[in-house]
């Protein structure tokens, strides 16, 4: 898809509808919404009970008449009506008053690289249903690269790896366009599933889904200790016994969890190799010095950066705020902070 900076500067809001979190950027204001992409519905009445953080806390704890839904899956809107209702509640009156003053409002939204026409149409209909009169589609890879501060408009290679909740996208950019890109169905959710399966297979323990992220932090701290303290080699985990169904506490080996996390991330290494093989040698030579930029909400997974650095032999940097790079990049385009490289045709 082709990005027109002039068209983006006419937009009022930028939206990043991710599988894990929804973020909305208001022009000249900044980030106004950063909430989980979750909604809780009363199945008897069809009414929304909660959205965002409160709905996420309800996951796995609801009675039969309350259902927790995720309207975005694998980076694609799968329930347009629910996504619209969720956005209306998340935005509240912040945007409605502005839209009443300016009835013809344009919006920009991030879509995955090589998204099919149905996925693009779902993103457009989601925003038009809440009041946008025109919707501009922007590739997540370009938006994230701009948000990371990469010089995407220059004739130099820049490589970015965007690690989301459900997918990871890898691309090499030059002159404001994507030279080669690859998308793999590996993300934070895959890592969570690997940890849960490891504990189930090795310890016959069913782990609550919301207890996985503390394990990530334990694995990260065990790499070298915190504040000079000795690294932890094991930790206690609370869960439910697979056979008896009773609550049980087990002590697990941190190295085993680290190995379980490393397994699904090997798919990202294959994607990086595929992208590099598609690039011209000159661009690959640039990357040997410039390295890889890591962005996305799952970029801070423990050991991920070390694994990529050792496997590729290239420098690797994690963005300052990897989780909001895409929406911040869109916001920079809306605010006119990105200037294109002017390439005028030469007259012979």
């Amino acid at each position: 898809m082709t990005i027109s900076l002039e068209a983006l500067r006419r937009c009022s809001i930028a939206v990043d509808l991710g599988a894990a979190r929804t973020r909305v950027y208001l022009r000249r204001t900044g980030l106004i919404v950063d909430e989980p992409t979750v909604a809780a519905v009363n199945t008897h009445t069809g009414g929304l009970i909660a959205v965002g953080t409160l709905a996420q806390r309800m996951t796995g704890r609801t009675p039969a008449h309350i259902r927790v839904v995720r309207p975005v899956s694998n980076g694609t809107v799968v329930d347009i009506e629910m996504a619209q209702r969720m956005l209306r509640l998340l935005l509240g009156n912040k945007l409605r008053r502005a839209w009443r003053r300016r009835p013809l409002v344009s919006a920009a939204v991030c879509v995955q690289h090589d998204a099919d026409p149905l996925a693009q149409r779902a993103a457009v209909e989601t925003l038009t249903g809440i009041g946008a009169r025109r919707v501009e589609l922007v590739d997540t890879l370009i938006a994230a690269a701009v948000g990371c501060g990469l010089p995407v408009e220059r004739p130099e290679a820049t490589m970015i790896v965007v690690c989301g909740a459900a997918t990871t996208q890898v691309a090499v950019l030059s002159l404001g366009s994507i030279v080669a890109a690859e998308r793999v169905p590996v993300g934070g959710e895959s890592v969570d599933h690997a940890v849960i399966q490891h504990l189930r297979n090795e310890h016959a323990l069913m782990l609550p889904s919301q207890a996985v992220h503390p394990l990530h932090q334990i694995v990260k701290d065990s790499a070298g200790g915190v504040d000079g303290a000795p690294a932890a080699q094991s930790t206690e985990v609370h869960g439910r016994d697979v056979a008896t169904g009773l609550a049980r506490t087990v002590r697990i080996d941190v190295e085993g969890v680290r190995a379980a996390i490393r397994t699904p991330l090997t798919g990202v290494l294959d994607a990086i190799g595929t992208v590099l093989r598609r690039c011209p040698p000159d661009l690959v030579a640039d990357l040997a010095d410039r390295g890889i930029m890591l962005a996305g909400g799952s970029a801070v997974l423990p050991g991920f950066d070390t694994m990529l650095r050792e496997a590729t032999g290239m420098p690797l940097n994690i963005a300052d705020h990897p989780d909001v790079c895409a929406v911040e990049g869109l916001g920079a385009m809306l605010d006119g902070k990105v200037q294109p490289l002017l390439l005028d045709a030469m007259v012979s």
Side-chain angles (χ1 to χ4, degrees):
M1 64 196 69
T2 303
I3 300 176
S4 171
L5 289 177
E6 290 298 326
L8 289 176
R9 287 169 187 159
R10 292 193 292 267
C11 295
S12 299
I13 64 167
V15 181
D16 181 14
L17 279 170
R21 299 186 74 87
T22 293
R23 299 178 175 93
V24 180
Y25 184 101
L26 184 61
R27 184 179 180 183
R28 297 193 183 94
T29 301
L31 199 63
I32 61 173
V33 172
D34 186 359
E35 293 282 342
T37 311
V38 187
V41 186
N42 187 323
T43 57
H44 293 167
T45 63
L48 280 184
I49 297 175
V51 296
T53 303
L54 180 57
Q56 186 179 47
R57 290 173 56 191
M58 295 181 180
T59 303
R61 296 181 170 89
T62 59
H65 70 282
I66 297 177
R67 184 167 57 98
V68 176
V69 297
R70 296 180 178 271
V72 180
S73 177
N74 294 330
T76 302
V77 180
V78 294
D79 190 337
I80 297 176
E81 181 183 358
M82 187 58 64
Q84 292 173 350
R85 296 173 65 186
M86 180 192 70
L87 276 175
R88 289 192 189 100
L89 283 180
L90 289 177
L91 292 172
N93 294 323
K94 299 175 183 177
L95 210 56
R96 294 174 190 169
R97 290 192 295 267
W99 281 1
R100 280 198 295 266
R101 293 193 297 268
R102 296 183 59 189
L104 298 178
V105 172
S106 297
V109 61
C110 290
V111 293
Q112 288 189 338
H113 179 69
D114 287 341
D116 58 71
L118 288 178
Q120 296 181 17
R121 181 177 177 180
V124 171
E125 289 187 4
T126 299
L127 294 183
T128 54
I130 63 172
R133 298 297 182 266
R134 181 178 176 84
V135 179
E136 301 289 343
L137 301 178
V138 181
D139 197 306
T140 301
L141 289 166
I142 295 180
V146 173
C148 292
L150 296 177
V152 296
E153 74 282 356
R154 298 179 185 174
E156 302 171 358
T158 55
M159 189 172 199
I160 186 167
V161 178
V162 180
C163 309
T167 59
T168 296
Q169 303 174 77
V170 183
V172 172
L173 300 95
S174 179
L175 290 172
S177 300
I178 296 175
V179 179
E182 187 75 9
R183 183 176 65 181
V184 291
V186 175
E189 294 176 354
S190 302
V191 173
D192 292 348
H193 181 72
V195 173
I196 292 173
Q197 285 298 114
H198 169 75
L199 294 178
R200 185 184 181 96
N201 297 335
E202 298 295 327
H203 301 279
L205 191 74
M206 293 185 66
L207 189 68
S209 59
Q210 297 187 18
V212 176
H213 296 291
L215 278 180
H216 292 176
Q217 186 61 40
I218 292 171
V219 175
K220 185 176 181 179
D221 295 343
S222 69
V226 182
D227 297 330
Q233 299 300 321
S234 63
T235 184
E236 288 188 349
V237 176
H238 309 285
R240 190 179 72 181
D241 189 276
V242 173
T244 65
L246 300 176
R248 186 160 67 95
T249 300
V250 299
R251 179 164 289 276
I252 63 171
D253 180 23
V254 174
E255 184 59 35
V257 178
R258 188 184 293 114
I261 289 176
R262 192 179 297 116
T263 301
L265 296 180
T266 55
V268 180
L269 293 176
D270 296 336
I272 292 176
T274 301
V275 169
L276 290 177
R277 286 191 293 270
R278 294 177 185 172
C279 290
D282 292 342
L283 293 181
V284 178
D286 290 344
L287 295 175
D289 297 327
R290 304 178 67 89
I292 304 172
M293 178 63 74
L294 203 56
S298 300
V300 294
L301 287 172
F304 188 28
D305 55 339
T306 303
M307 184 187 71
L308 291 182
R309 191 178 294 110
E310 293 175 352
T312 61
M314 294 191 295
L316 189 137
N317 301 300
I318 300 179
D320 293 337
H321 304 284
D323 52 340
V324 295
C325 283
V327 72
E328 290 288 351
L330 269 183
M333 297 179 192
L334 265 61
D335 291 337
K337 297 179 181 179
V338 180
Q339 299 297 328
L341 180 65
L342 298 178
L343 299 175
D344 295 331
M346 299 182 65
V347 179
S348 59

